[in-house]
Amino acid sequence: LSCKVLSSVVTPCYCFVSPQIRVKPDNTGVVTDGVKHSMNPFCEIAVEEAVKLKEKKLIKEVVAVSCGPQQSQETIRTALAMGADRGIHVDVSGKDYENLGPLQVSKILAALAKQEDAQLILLGKQAIDDDCNQTGQMTAALLDWPQGTFASEVSLEGDKINLVREIDGGLEHIKINTPAVITADLRLNTPRYATLPNIMKAKKKKIVTVKPADLGVDVTSRLEVLKVEEPPQRQAGMKVETVEDLVVKLKEAGRV
Amino acid sequence: MAQLIALFLCRCRPPDVVVFPRCVEEVSALAKVCHKHRLPIIPFGTGTGLEGGVGAMKGGVCFSLRNMEQVLDLHPEDFDVTVEPGVTRKTLNAYLRDTGLWFPIDPGADASLCGMAATSASGTNAVRYGTMRENVINLEVVLADGSVVHTAGKGRRPRKTSAGYNLTNLFVGSEGTLGIITKTTLRLYGIPEAMVSAVCSFPSVQAAVDSTVQTLQAGVPIARIEFLDDVMIDACNRFSSLSYPVTPTLFLEFHGSEQSLEEQVKTAEDITQSNGGSDFQWARDTETRNRLWKARHDAWYAALALRPGCKAYSTDVCVPLSRLPQIIVETKEDLIENRLTGPIAGHVGDGNFHCLMVVDPNDPEEMHRVHLFTERLARRALAMDGTCTGEHGVGLGKRALLCEEMGPVGIQVMQSLKDALDPNNLMNPGKILQREEP
């Protein structure tokens, strides 16, 4: 399979070093100030898979794409340091960025795939800040391409792709045509670390910035976030001495 | 006897109160309260130390620092970062992923970095990257009276200094007895371009240890060199369903550029083969390397699995490299002679090894034999110009051995420093130094 371009999407997501996520006082969202942005872990796996395919000489070029404000370029740089060849930064900032969701991103990716004449799109299965798990699927639908989601194994065979998917019931083996969209699951590979020499080399690789309008995509959201709340505080538990007591208490609480 | 039993049976010596300060100002204010009322202060990071360091022997106030969990001030160009006590080594390395840097010191647990500074921790790659002593540039410490000191000056992080007394390394390894560490500035390293691991089996302990010594003497900048004796390998085989030959074994890891790896590996292989070592079993890609090392990291559980229902205690002596063959051989003879279960695993590149003593806590006779064995082992190491603790610290159980190791004048100097900084003996009382109780 001589892939002209492999497009790999790197989602910059909020990486909370501490597990303490705080809701904004006005309940419109989560506090993101001072929180470190990192590449979404599943996207790292996708980039790693793309780079591995290139190292096996099964594809020609890996293009890393990220949609977001200026700092998304850092995430692209990480992908370049892992072995991607060039980057495309789709500039979306401010309110547009806060409201950017899977539908808009998939429209952007579909437009880019056509523009770059890509044969394969590799994404993480979901972003760990919103857990939508929709972008890959929507992109495939917009392009009318086959999709292999939750991939834990990928191999190219001629112009087809053999995939093992992790599903609730076990492992599913499928074969799909190219061009195709694949989303990476946890066990697909172990992503390499970006090393200092590779980070230095990555500085010389090109990142091109475009706007969604240039691709003919309208990023207005059709969703409005009404409210973000913390989950209810955990109530203190109660210890009882006997099973009879337990049943009484459960009845009192209307649970049985 | 009392100390070893204390470690096993005196399982939990809880404090009277636990506080969860969120910033150094709160730590200082709380320390002032404790100071005023003469309450013992027990600092707590992750509680993963192995020498009873967080036991509140005289009750008191435990300062759990887990809510201070910021990574502050990363300077990638300067290879340094400052962290608070709630940040563990794995958290920091995950944070540093994109920068091409890492903090290599890796004790078994995912320990608090400030806690690691407090115990002068070390890991599997000390042979190349050093221990906490070499990698802490500055500390922010709250003293027993609540005053806050920056051991190298506030915010300072030069790579080297000759300014005044080395306060930083006074607190590194002080195990909470001189102050509460609330920030540590650490030296970072570049993530190696490439890594290669290998396993090599040997016909004898002597051959394995000789190979270690010779590899280091040949100047190979080896990153990890771990020794497992036949009992340990057998336990690992059973626990992790592996099939390594049941003989003394070395697990090796090399870091560097692709070219430098080739050279390092060639030299190491020549040495091991000349000592009767087997062909190397290789692991180059991340997944295979992780599998290989998992066997070593699971050693503790593998040892416990040898005798279900028993507990394990790890010895920790460290000797100059040239004495390593002798001490391991003598120790194994001692184990066999005294019918003890003590698989050996260790960082032989530093001259440091651990006997994982698996013992039935309900069998006082066996406990006694283990206790005598560990004392003999420590004294054997001391007699060979070594130390009774390479990386775990003194804590409760090794206070008497510390006296033998340092001698009376050395202990007196330590006691003078303790008295100067903590005249009321509030900071983690009963650890490191024995005080004559009235």
Side-chain angles (χ1 to χ4, degrees), chain A residues 7-233:
Chain A
S7 198
S8 196
V9 177
V10 298
T11 313
C13 77
Y14 300 113
C15 162
F16 293 94
V17 173
S18 79
Q20 289 190 359
I21 298 163
R22 280 173 257 273
V23 173
K24 284 195 222 176
D26 63 0
N27 289 106
T28 55
V30 153
V31 174
T32 57
D33 284 341
V35 174
K36 185 176 193 284
H37 278 63
S38 272
M39 194 189 303
N40 184 39
F42 294 111
C43 298
E44 274 184 17
I45 296 174
V47 172
E48 173 68 24
E49 197 62 20
V51 171
K52 275 191 157 94
L53 287 171
K54 193 179 85 153
E55 284 171 346
K56 290 183 198 159
K57 303 208 194 309
L58 293 169
I59 54 150
K60 272 172 69 179
E61 193 187 18
V62 179
V63 181
V65 175
S66 191
C67 306
Q70 182 67 15
Q71 66 205 97
S72 304
Q73 295 207 9
E74 283 162 32
T75 319
I76 300 180
R77 289 264 168 237
T78 305
L80 295 173
M82 286 170 72
D85 298 292
R86 58 186 167 90
I88 301 178
H89 167 222
V90 181
D91 191 12
V92 181
S93 41
K95 262 275 169 248
D96 280 341
Y97 181 60
E98 276 177 39
N99 295 327
L100 192 69
L103 183 56
Q104 298 99 310
V105 173
S106 47
K107 285 180 183 171
I108 292 172
L109 289 179
L112 277 173
K114 291 194 185 123
Q115 182 185 288
E116 298 284 335
D117 194 21
Q119 302 289 298
L120 191 49
I121 304 186
L122 264 171
L123 310 89
K125 68 171 180 179
Q126 67 202 57
I128 64 170
D129 51 11
D130 59 29
D131 277 335
C132 284
N133 190 345
Q134 295 162 2
T135 309
Q137 292 88 333
M138 285 177 173
T139 311
L142 288 168
L143 290 165
D144 197 24
W145 285 8
Q147 56 184 267
T149 54
F150 308 101
S152 63
E153 259 180 68
V154 169
S155 59
L156 272 52
E157 193 186 300
D159 60 351
K160 302 212 194 292
I161 303 180
N162 287 320
L163 253 154
V164 178
R165 307 180 57 229
E166 292 203 1
I167 61 174
D168 288 347
L171 297 173
E172 185 187 45
H173 296 248
I174 61 171
K175 190 186 283 222
I176 56 177
N177 296 325
T178 53
V181 174
I182 299 179
T183 73
D185 208 325
L186 189 62
R187 277 159 280 272
L188 181 55
N189 60 48
T190 310
R192 65 197 66 190
Y193 280 87
T195 63
L196 277 178
N198 287 339
I199 292 176
M200 301 302 295
K201 283 183 212 157
K203 292 195 175 148
K204 301 197 185 111
K205 297 183 183 176
K206 287 174 86 85
I207 300 182
V208 159
T209 303
V210 300
K211 288 206 157 308
D214 302 339
L215 302 166
V217 174
D218 172 13
V219 290
T220 341
S221 177
R222 299 202 212 143
L223 300 175
E224 185 193 332
V225 173
L226 296 176
K227 193 162 56 156
V228 176
E229 292 176 325
E230 292 192 9
Q233 287 277 13

Side-chain angles (χ1 to χ4, degrees), chain B residues 358-389:
Chain B
V358 186
V359 54
D360 180 355
N362 300 313
D363 179 351
E365 193 272 328
E366 190 182 10
M367 296 276 284
H368 185 58
R369 269 186 291 129
V370 167
H371 176 72
L372 293 177
F373 166 83
T374 60
E375 298 235 305
R376 278 196 301 277
L377 174 56
R379 296 201 169 104
R380 200 176 290 129
L382 292 177
M384 295 189 190
D385 304 336
T387 170
C388 65
T389 172

Side-chain angles (χ1 to χ4, degrees), chain B residues 8 125 139 166 168 225 281 284 305 309 344 355 365 375 377:
Chain B
F8 276 121
N125 46 35
L139 292 171
N166 188 349
T168 304
I225 183 158
Q281 264 193 58
R284 282 172 205 277
I344 296 179
C355 296
E365 193 272 328
E375 298 235 305
L377 174 56

